[in-house]
Amino acid sequence: IRYFTAGDAFDAYRATFVGFEQLHKALNGVLHASARTFAELPRDEQFKQRFFLRELGGQAGAVEAVASAALDGVESLSGDKHAEVVPAADVDASLVHRSPHDAVRHTRYRRHYHHSHE
């Protein structure tokens, strides 16, 4: 673990990993409580629980899609020293929610090549 957390590279990610750890703990607490009480809840409260779980799944998918697109972008650069990943100016948020993997992968990053003039 020290290998990955030592040095400047990890500093940019530190707060995100701490946030994910907190989110994971909070989500586990909610899921355990929900599993114990769901069957006894009124139908409208059960509906809300299912809605929240679907929303959490959608939000998690959107985060995964952004991270996956970023990884694809930096991996594509590892062999091409003339390419640069530039964040796209506009991302259609409605597409991210409907189909996070495809929408973000195709709109979040654009590749720009710098061609030398001969």
Side-chain angles (χ1 to χ4, degrees):
I1 292 178
R2 284 183 197 258
Y3 173 79
F4 289 104
T5 58
D8 296 335
F10 183 68
D11 289 342
Y13 295 90
R14 185 179 311 275
T16 303
F17 282 114
V18 168
F20 273 118
E21 183 178 353
Q22 292 170 344
L23 176 63
H24 190 262
K25 287 178 183 177
L27 183 58
N28 277 338
V30 162
L31 294 178
H32 287 296
S34 174
R36 285 192 310 269
T37 62
F38 186 82
E40 293 104 33
L41 292 174
R43 288 179 61 86
D44 63 326
E45 290 299 313
Q46 288 181 351
F47 170 79
K48 290 176 188 176
Q49 295 255 346
R50 290 190 308 272
F51 173 84
F52 294 143
L53 288 171
R54 279 189 202 97
E55 185 60 26
L56 284 171
Q59 294 292 328
V63 169
E64 187 278 331
V66 170
S68 180
L71 179 60
D72 287 350
V74 296
E75 283 181 340
S76 71
L77 296 177
S78 64
D80 186 354
K81 61 184 175 188
H82 299 291
E84 177 184 20
V85 173
V86 179
D90 298 314
V91 175
D92 185 345
S94 66
L95 289 176
V96 171
H97 189 68
R98 277 194 311 247
S99 179
H101 185 69
D102 291 333
V104 174
R105 179 181 302 276
H106 297 299
T107 61
R108 180 75 173 112
Y109 292 94
R110 294 175 298 181
R111 231 174 146 179
H112 294 273
Y113 292 91
H114 302 287
H115 300 285
S116 60
H117 297 288
E118 298 179 30

